[in-house]
Amino acid sequence: MSEVRARVAILMGSPNDWSVMQAAEKMLEELGIASDARVISAHRTPQRLTQYLATAEQDGIEVVIAGAGMAAHLAGVTAAHTMLPVLGVPLPGSDLGGLDALLATVQMPGGIPVATFAIGKAGAKNAALFAAAILARGDEAIRERLAKFREAQSAGVPERPPRG
Ligand code: RP5
């Protein structure tokens, strides 16, 4: 039996990032999108990064989500090595609460773009939804699943606040 080909890569700088980045995998799974989660550090495993990105596109990857904390270079370095859209997720956990990673990810100099999301789990979830929106441009089934997700989300919001 052949495995479903991953269309989204979920990269993270450390195994310690998985507790947050798994929110991206979970959201993609809910939308029926196969992903490939990897621990790849721009600093500690630079060759692993270039090797992975050298074949990512031909391997079927269409969007890369990159989550990293502290001096978060992963998304920027990833974007430098691929033409694929790169979605950066700044991760918390540092003494600066993720503000360091947010600024490192969002402040790309002009020329190599990284789309930057919220710090932490909300960012990981939204990066997955954004990846789905990109894929939905050419995939009607994903578009429908995304629309259903939004409908269910709207239906889950109560009209009045919960009173004790
Ligand atoms: C970054 O440094 C990683 O993305 C991680 O968030 C942070 C700290 O890494 P660890 O020391 O926890 O492995 O590269």
Side-chain angles (χ1 to χ4, degrees), residues 12-17 41 43-44 67-70 91-92:
M12 66 212 81
S14 164
N16 297 325
D17 297 336
S41 166
H43 311 275
R44 294 167 178 162
M70 302 188 76
L91 300 180

